[in-house]
Amino acid sequence: QKSIKMGWSLLFQEQNKETANKLGKATLMMFTLPLLVFYVCSNFVFSDKEEPMMWGGFAAVIMVNVVIAGYVISAFSEEDDTETSDNDESGPRTGAFKRRTD
């Protein structure tokens, strides 16, 4: 119970408001757009087909994938908060980032 409360409070902190806003919009679109597309396609677009509900369902599944792709693209297009520079000495360098000193 405590972890659920902590999760909600973390989401509504000032630095996470943009992310919460984006998540809320994506959730709303994920709920409404596939239902709307299903209704419009099964009753109007594909009403003359033999199985209009099948075609409407197919269109709704495509809309779900479009919403997911849009959310992923918008998430990856955000700017990173962390800035890295050459004089960042926050910890030891390892692997490809290790500098030779000999």
Side-chain angles (χ1 to χ4, degrees):
Q1 190 70 317
K2 184 180 178 183
S3 65
I4 292 173
K5 268 188 151 179
M6 191 173 80
W8 283 107
S9 66
L10 287 175
L11 188 62
F12 292 117
Q13 288 180 356
E14 186 62 37
Q15 68 268 23
N16 297 331
K17 287 205 183 229
E18 184 180 340
T19 303
N21 188 14
K22 188 178 293 188
L23 181 63
K25 287 178 183 177
T27 302
L28 185 65
M29 286 192 299
M30 184 66 83
F31 180 74
T32 57
L33 289 180
L35 289 174
L36 183 66
V37 166
F38 175 76
Y39 178 77
V40 168
C41 287
S42 62
N43 289 323
F44 300 109
V45 177
F46 299 118
S47 61
D48 57 338
K49 298 274 188 188
E50 187 174 326
E51 295 287 336
M53 292 186 79
M54 178 190 70
W55 290 100
F58 182 67
V61 168
I62 289 174
M63 181 52 67
V64 166
N65 287 311
V66 167
V67 171
I68 291 171
Y71 182 75
V72 169
I73 289 170
S74 70
F76 276 110
S77 66
E78 288 181 354
E79 291 184 21
D80 290 338
D81 290 341
T82 59
E83 294 181 20
T84 57
S85 63
D86 288 340
N87 58 5
D88 179 26
E89 298 297 332
S90 60
R93 302 212 182 258
T94 59
F97 302 107
K98 188 172 185 177
R99 292 188 188 152
R100 293 184 63 140
T101 57
D102 54 334

